[in-house]
């Protein structure tokens, strides 16, 4: 009984933390419709700024509170600058490009934080009043956690008052419901958006500053926090504050009690909750179907088969790639193999995202399943390489087929989030299971004797990856590909001519999963090892970046994007320690310059 | 010979009774117009017959077979074609490809993963486009067409499956008056020539009275009148709905 009470309190404290993380994100999304990937970065900045302020202040509670508020205000200021400097220019861009830009911000903030505060975790020397605990039911419960339990609902109430009792709040709520109407009434939207963004950023900063006494300010915060925040916001219903609190409560309580029952499953639990909620309520607990946002309804680009010039260029590149074993040494060949793997990975995501209309945030799941399938076939079952190369796509495709059953009904951000959830589940399984070697991964997976020569393996990778990419392309220009695109362009019309959009999307989903699995299997034999990081969020984001850089709306986009991205990445990583900063700035610049992607821009120039 | 018979259709959205007990029949080769003020329930009726919505009560029979609640893709196979009030074409394709996809769907080719799609049914597609006078625009992007051309393309797409019943929700909205008459005259020729049953809505009364064989009048979910042009013109309740008054 007592243990239950303590877990209940732990859960409530956890709920407050999660809510603080998610509140700002949901407020920003509700009004601006921007899914802000940099929200975790704002949280992290809040923690670092709070640290810098608090180490200079007296330790008394009053000073501490003042310092925390100051940090939140500073983060709000940063948020306002971010909105004015960047996001304002992107409100009319497709939502995935907004996401890409905010991911660029995340990269930039990571390196800037490293530059300003150094690589070490910064913990706050805790004064006695922060270390204290309260005796509850015979156990000692941290006093600070009790404080947190109160702060969550307090912030919810404050936000509720702000939104329901002020003119500004009324306008914001109106804008959440119908932006066009508010604009038509002559309200200055830019001020509204900037203040909303600042409020959201301030809430993130507040969350970061409040999280400081329980842990430290560190450089991993941004990605951990953004994942938590996404899950809470999506489970609660995007844009709904009470939904966010409810979701935070649900998840934190399940986690607190889950620890007692299934100590090893906590990582998975959060995402299982999310998958379950979205399967039953596709718009989250308290969310509603969104009116189409700006950018969503915009015209889709015309897709034509490659022009003779483009075809010639492609053939020339292919010929060069075929000649590479005779021209390049083992090192260059291994880099090229990586590029080939990346190309197939990107092409597989593009197939479901472009023509299929399903953007995925968790495409690394299929890549990882393929990679682990190959690795375990080699190390666990001692199978020859061709078996691994076959099992990879087969298992990934089968998993995608099973999972796709749940997700093809969803669309947009919700679909992206559910795929993210699934990828995190796969990641957690790989991370926590003995079979997969946990954090240590699976090592020592080498090609069979006949393919050990780097030139032979490269040739094999070229056949599989370039072949797979071209095969996907062919499929997209086949009747199936057209039917798939028809179902994306106008689902009701597609159904009225006898197509079955859900089935077509499911088939595309499975096909994309299998192709990504093949890429993963080839990658495993090329690297000789596989780790849980293969399934990490940043790996999924890599694929998204490649596709978006190349342009979703073009057929050669993923190829161009993958080659450009891996090239850029390799060059940057070799050239500078600040590669994240550079990459982030380049991404932001590219998004601002080519809101339709590189290949998309080229295509437009041709037709223009 | 009856092509379609709808009986006792009901549909409510939350508290709004959009369609309340509507029954009608369409014969082969008949042009049946459904008119009524905005919000009368016309689109909802189309969705009930076309399978986009499932009725709360009532039956839909196609050629004597019960098709109530069947999804649109199943109805397409049974020869039901439809155009939408909010025009929907495949914007990432050319005009011709829009029709080609419809032809591929009709011939159940859409699981074929090999072979170029834009090579299949080319001539058939162009022939269908010629029917609606769109052949010169075959290679344009469907996403950039003018409104009237979009409507014509939708008709060609709907005709690709060789339907026996055609449901046209506001097929001429946004067209110039002369274009409207021409398009509906074409539909009328198809209906009478091929025995195609057509149910359509239309706001332009000149068009309705000019091409419809029979007219249904819907108001607030109820069928309030039915008959030929002369009967509808003379109907007191119709006059009340359209002209106001008791
Ligand atoms: N999906 C829906 N959800 C809620 N109400 C709807 C929906 N579709 C139609 N309605 C309502 O049903 C009534 C009939 O609409 P509709 O069939 O579109 O009329 P019409 O096509 O004759 O203009 C209207 O009051 C409309 O607001
Ligand atoms: Mg209507």
């Amino acid at each position: 009984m007592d243990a239950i009470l303590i877990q209940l309190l732990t859960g409530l404290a956890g709920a407050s933390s999660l809510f603080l993380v998610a509140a700002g994100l949901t407020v920003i999304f509700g009004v601006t419709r921007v899914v802000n990937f940099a929200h975790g970065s704002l949280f992290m900045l809040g923690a670092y700024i709070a640290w810098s302020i608090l180490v200079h202040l007296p330790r008394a509670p009053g000073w501490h509170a003042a310092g925390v508020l100051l940090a939140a205000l500073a983060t709000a200021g940063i948020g306002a600058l971010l909105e004015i400097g960047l996001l304002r220019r992107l409100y009319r861009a497709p939502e995935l490009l907004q996401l890409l830009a905010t991911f660029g911000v995340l990269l930039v903030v990571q390196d800037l934080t490293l530059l300003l505060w150094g690589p070490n975790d910064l913990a706050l020397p805790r004064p006695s009043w922060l270390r204290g605990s309260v005796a509850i039911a015979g156990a000692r419960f941290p006093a600070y956690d009790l404080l947190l339990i109160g702060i969550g609902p307090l912030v919810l109430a404050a936000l509720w008052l702000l939104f329901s009792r002020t003119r500004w709040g009324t306008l914001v709520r109106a804008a959440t419901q119908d932006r066009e109407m508010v604009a038509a009434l002559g309200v200055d939207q830019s001020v509204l958006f900037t203040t909303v963004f600042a409020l959201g950023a301030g809430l993130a900063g507040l969350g970061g500053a409040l999280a400081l006494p329980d842990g430290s300010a560190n450089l991993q915060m941004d990605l951990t926090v953004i994942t938590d925040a996404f899950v809470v916001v999506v489970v609660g219903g995007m844009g709904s504050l009470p939904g966010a609190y409810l979701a935070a409560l649900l998840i934190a309580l399940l986690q607190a009690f889950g620890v007692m029952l299934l100590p090893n499953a906590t990582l998975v639990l959060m995402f299982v909750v999310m998958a379950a909620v979205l399967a039953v309520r596709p718009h989250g607990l308290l969310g509603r179907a969104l009116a189409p946002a700006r950018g969503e309804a915009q015209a889709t680009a015309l897709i034509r088969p490659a022009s003779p010039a483009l075809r010639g260029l492609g053939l020339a590149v292919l010929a060069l790639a075929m000649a590479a074993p005779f021209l390049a040494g083992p090192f260059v060949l291994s880099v090229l193999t990586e590029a080939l793997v990346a190309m197939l990975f990107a092409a597989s995501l593009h197939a479901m995202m472009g023509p299929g209309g399903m953007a995925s945030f968790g495409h690394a799941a299929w890549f990882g399943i393929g990679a682990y399938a190959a690795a375990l076939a080699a190390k666990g079952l001692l199978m020859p390489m061709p078996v691994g190369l076959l099992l990879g796509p087969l298992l990934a495709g089968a998993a995608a087929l099973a999972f796709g059953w749940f997700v093809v009904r969803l669309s947009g951000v919700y679909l992206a989030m559910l795929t993210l959830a699934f990828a995190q589940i796969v990641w957690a399984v790989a991370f926590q299971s003995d079979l997969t070697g946990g954090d240590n991964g699976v090592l020592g997976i080498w090609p069979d004797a006949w393919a050990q020569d780097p030139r032979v393996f490269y040739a094999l990778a070229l056949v599989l990856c370039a072949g797979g990419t071209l095969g996907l392309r062919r499929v997209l220009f086949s009747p199936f590909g057209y039917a798939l695109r028809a179902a994306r362009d106008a689902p009701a019309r597609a159904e009225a001519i006898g197509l079955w959009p859900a089935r077509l999307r499911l088939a595309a989903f499975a096909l994309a999963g299998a192709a990504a699995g093949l890429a993963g299997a080839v990658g495993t034999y090329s690297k000789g090892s596989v780790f849980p990081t293969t399934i990490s969020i940043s790996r999924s984001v890599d694929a998204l970046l490649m596709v978006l850089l190349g342009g979703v709306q073009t057929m050669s986009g993923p190829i161009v994007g993958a080659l450009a991205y891996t090239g850029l990445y390799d060059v940057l990583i070799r050239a500078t320690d600040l590669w994240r900063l550079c990459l982030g700035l380049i991404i932001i610049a590219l998004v601002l310059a080519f809101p339709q992607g590189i290949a998309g821009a080229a295509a437009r120039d041709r037709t223009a | 010979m009856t092509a379609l018979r709808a009986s006792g259709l009901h549909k409510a959205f939350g508290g709004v009774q959009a369609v309340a007990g509507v029954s009608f029949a369409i014969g082969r080769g008949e042009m049946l117009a459904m008119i009524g003020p905005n919000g009368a329930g016309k689109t909802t009726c189309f969705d009930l017959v076309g399978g986009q919505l499932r009725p709360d009560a009532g039956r839909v029979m196609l050629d004597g077979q019960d098709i109530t609640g069947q999804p649109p893709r199943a109805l397409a196979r049974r020869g039901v074609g439809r155009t939408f009030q909010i025009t929907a074409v495949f914007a990432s394709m050319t005009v011709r490809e829009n029709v080609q996809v419809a032809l591929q769907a009709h011939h159940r080719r859409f699981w074929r993963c090999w072979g170029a799609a834009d090579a299949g049914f080319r001539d058939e597609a162009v022939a269908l486009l010629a029917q609606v006078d769109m052949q010169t625009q075959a290679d344009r992007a469907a996403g950039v067409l003018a409104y009237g051309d979009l409507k014509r393309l939708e008709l060609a797409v709907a005709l690709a499956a060789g339907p026996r019943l055609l449901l046209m929700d506001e097929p001429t909205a946004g067209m110039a008056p002369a274009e409207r008459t021409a398009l509906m005259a074409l539909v009328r020729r198809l209906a009478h020539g091929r025995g195609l049953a057509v149910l359509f809505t239309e706001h332009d009364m000149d068009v309705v009275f000019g091409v419809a064989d029979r007219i249904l009048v819907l108001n607030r979910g109820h069928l309030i009148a039915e008959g030929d042009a002369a009967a509808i013109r003379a109907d007191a309740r119709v006059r009340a709905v359209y002209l106001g008054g008791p």
Side-chain angles (χ1 to χ4, degrees):
Chain A
M1 195 57 220
D2 296 349
I4 291 183
L5 182 64
I6 291 295
Q7 290 307 326
L8 182 68
L9 290 175
T10 310
L12 287 175
S16 283
S17 308
L18 278 178
F19 174 69
L20 286 175
V21 164
L25 188 64
T26 213
V27 167
I28 291 173
F29 178 83
V31 178
T32 65
R33 288 288 167 78
V34 171
V35 179
N36 179 19
F37 226 118
H39 195 70
S41 311
L42 293 167
F43 181 93
M44 180 170 82
L45 283 176
Y48 273 98
I49 293 172
W51 183 87
S52 292
I53 294 175
L54 290 174
V55 289
H56 292 108
L57 288 182
R59 294 288 139 81
W63 283 107
H64 187 92
V68 166
L69 287 180
L70 201 59
L73 277 180
T75 320
I78 294 173
L81 289 179
L82 195 61
E83 200 274 343
I84 295 169
L86 175 65
L87 288 158
R88 175 169 294 186
R89 292 162 219 281
L90 291 175
Y91 287 134
R92 296 204 169 272
E95 60 183 7
L96 280 166
L97 280 177
Q98 301 171 342
L99 204 81
L100 191 62
T102 55
F103 187 75
V105 173
L106 177 139
L107 291 173
V108 170
V109 171
Q110 250 175 10
D111 264 0
L112 287 183
T113 312
L114 179 66
L115 276 181
L116 286 171
W117 280 284
N120 296 328
D121 293 6
L122 302 179
L124 204 60
R126 296 214 281 182
S128 54
W129 69 270
L130 269 178
R131 262 175 283 144
S133 58
V134 183
I136 292 174
R140 304 207 63 78
F141 192 77
Y144 189 67
D145 283 8
L146 277 184
L147 196 65
L148 279 183
I149 292 179
I151 289 178
L154 208 66
V155 169
L156 179 61
L159 287 174
W160 182 78
L161 282 178
L162 182 66
F163 285 123
S164 59
R165 294 292 154 84
T166 63
R167 182 178 140 71
W168 179 83
T170 314
L171 286 179
V172 169
R173 272 186 306 136
T176 311
Q177 254 137 46
D178 191 340
R179 282 192 304 200
E180 267 63 43
M181 195 59 208
V182 171
L185 290 177
V187 174
D188 185 354
Q189 293 228 39
S190 58
V191 174
L192 204 59
F193 281 25
T194 308
T195 46
V196 163
F197 206 89
L199 174 70
L203 285 169
L206 181 68
L210 285 172
L212 197 53
D214 265 350
S216 62
N218 62 67
L219 290 166
Q220 286 79 50
M221 287 174 119
D222 50 356
L223 274 180
T224 340
V225 161
I226 192 63
T227 324
D228 290 359
F230 276 163
V231 172
V232 170
V233 166
V234 165
V235 169
M238 304 202 60
S240 162
L241 269 174
Y245 189 74
L246 210 61
L249 210 57
L250 178 70
I251 290 169
L253 287 177
L254 270 172
Q255 272 184 335
F257 288 103
V259 169
M260 296 170 72
L261 304 174
L262 307 159
N264 277 332
T266 45
L267 283 175
V268 180
L269 206 56
M270 179 155 164
F271 292 98
V272 172
V273 172
M274 168 158 155
V277 168
L278 285 194
V280 181
R281 290 191 60 88
H283 299 292
L285 292 173
L286 299 186
R288 283 168 306 135
L290 300 167
R294 273 177 307 200
E296 255 175 75
Q298 71 187 9
T300 30
L302 178 67
I303 291 187
R304 303 300 307 133
S307 63
L310 187 63
R311 208 172 282 238
L313 183 67
L315 283 176
V317 172
L318 191 63
L320 205 62
M322 286 204 254
F326 308 102
L327 306 172
F331 175 72
V332 173
L333 285 182
S334 82
V335 172
L336 287 179
T337 306
E338 286 302 301
L340 285 169
V341 168
M343 181 175 77
L344 180 55
F345 186 36
S348 69
L349 176 61
H350 170 265
M352 60 179 275
M353 201 170 142
M358 301 172 282
S360 166
F361 262 41
H363 205 57
W366 322 116
F367 186 89
I369 290 177
Y372 271 100
L376 294 176
K379 296 301 279 189
L381 307 175
L382 303 175
M383 289 289 175
M385 180 170 69
V387 176
L389 289 179
L390 196 68
L391 273 182
L394 275 183
L395 280 182
L401 190 65
F403 174 70
W405 204 264
F406 292 97
V407 299
V408 293
R409 296 182 304 120
L410 304 178
S411 60
V413 181
Y414 285 94
L415 188 145
M417 290 298 140
L418 200 56
T419 51
L420 171 72
F422 184 75
Q424 289 305 102
I425 293 173
V426 176
W427 174 81
V429 169
F431 189 78
Q432 289 182 331
S433 151
D434 293 331
L435 183 69
T436 54
D439 202 12
N440 298 323
V442 187
L443 305 171
I445 311 135
W446 299 114
D448 293 350
W450 59 270
Q452 296 236 332
D453 183 330
R455 283 171 299 183
V456 176
F457 188 79
Y458 167 81
L460 181 69
L462 181 63
V463 168
L464 292 177
C465 295
T469 306
L470 291 175
L472 278 177
R473 202 183 144 85
R474 235 192 123 111
V475 169
L476 294 180
F477 279 111
S478 74
F480 168 74
Y482 271 69
L484 183 66
R485 204 134 52 77
R488 174 203 69 182
D489 285 356
R493 151 67 54 219
E495 197 152 5
I497 59 171
L499 298 174
W500 193 346
R503 277 295 152 83
L504 291 164
R505 279 152 59 99
L506 181 61
F509 202 90
L511 180 69
L518 179 61
V522 174
T524 296
Y525 281 104
S526 135
K527 280 214 167 111
S529 56
V530 55
F531 303 100
T533 46
T534 317
I535 316 169
S536 62
I537 296 183
S538 51
R539 184 89 204 141
S540 293
V541 171
D542 281 348
L544 265 177
L545 285 175
M546 293 187 249
V547 172
L548 291 173
L549 278 181
V552 193
Q553 303 263 9
T554 61
M555 289 300 202
S556 22
I559 302 174
V560 177
L563 298 182
Y565 184 72
T566 35
L568 189 68
Y569 195 84
D570 267 15
V571 168
L572 283 179
I573 250 181
R574 254 181 271 280
T576 165
D577 282 342
L578 296 178
W579 62 271
R580 284 191 198 85
L581 181 71
C582 296
L583 187 62
L585 289 175
I586 292 174
I587 290 172
I588 294 171
L590 280 177
V591 170
L592 287 175
F594 307 114
Q596 304 298 330
I598 303 174
R604 209 179 36 221
D605 287 349
R606 263 205 319 278
T607 51
Chain B
M1 180 76 190
T2 312
L4 179 93
R5 181 179 297 282
S7 41
L9 292 180
H10 282 266
K11 183 75 193 179
F13 298 105
V16 183
Q17 191 70 42
V19 172
V22 170
S23 304
F24 58 88
I26 314 174
R28 292 252 160 80
E30 185 181 25
M31 291 281 285
L32 180 62
M34 181 181 273
I35 63 172
N38 269 329
K42 302 182 296 292
T43 297
T44 308
C45 273
F46 274 73
D47 287 347
L48 293 175
V49 173
Q52 280 79 19
L53 291 172
R54 179 186 275 278
D56 298 337
R59 305 250 127 245
V60 184
M61 313 283 282
L62 182 70
D63 292 324
Q65 282 178 320
D66 192 343
I67 55 159
T68 317
Q70 287 197 18
R73 57 174 186 277
L75 298 186
R77 233 164 289 147
R78 288 170 172 269
V80 178
R82 132 148 234 195
T83 67
F84 293 87
Q85 177 172 357
I86 298 171
T87 317
V89 297
F90 308 130
S92 70
M93 303 177 196
T94 62
V95 167
R96 174 164 41 73
E97 285 169 346
N98 268 266
V99 184
Q100 282 174 290
V101 169
L103 286 162
Q104 270 151 12
H106 175 59
H107 290 99
R108 315 200 54 66
R109 295 277 169 84
F110 44 86
W111 289 116
R112 289 203 185 173
C113 293
W114 223 245
D118 75 342
F121 304 107
R122 244 174 196 279
D123 301 337
E124 292 90 330
V126 174
L128 279 160
L129 286 172
Q131 271 194 4
V132 294
D133 231 2
M134 285 282 290
Q135 70 276 33
T136 52
Q137 311 212 42
D139 288 316
R140 290 189 69 197
V144 300
L145 292 180
Y147 206 77
D149 290 343
L150 277 177
K151 288 284 183 191
R152 275 203 285 263
L153 173 56
E154 263 212 297
L155 177 58
V157 167
L159 289 175
R164 288 180 293 171
L165 170 67
L166 192 54
L167 306 170
M168 306 181 79
D169 196 358
E170 309 215 358
T172 69
M175 283 183 163
E179 274 188 309
R180 285 182 200 164
T181 317
L183 185 80
M184 290 318 288
L186 164 71
V187 174
R188 185 181 162 90
R189 275 199 306 281
L190 289 173
H192 291 178
R194 296 185 188 172
L196 175 65
V198 178
L199 176 67
F200 71 102
T201 63
E202 174 61 65
H203 283 296
D204 184 334
M205 287 306 142
D206 290 340
V207 173
V208 172
F209 290 138
V211 302
D213 298 315
R214 204 151 50 85
I215 300 166
L216 306 172
V217 187
L218 213 58
N219 188 34
R220 301 187 184 190
H222 294 273
L223 211 52
I224 57 168
E226 180 174 352
D228 62 13
I232 295 298
R233 275 206 190 92
D235 192 291
R237 291 174 67 186
V238 176
R239 296 179 75 91
V241 165
Y242 274 93
L243 305 175

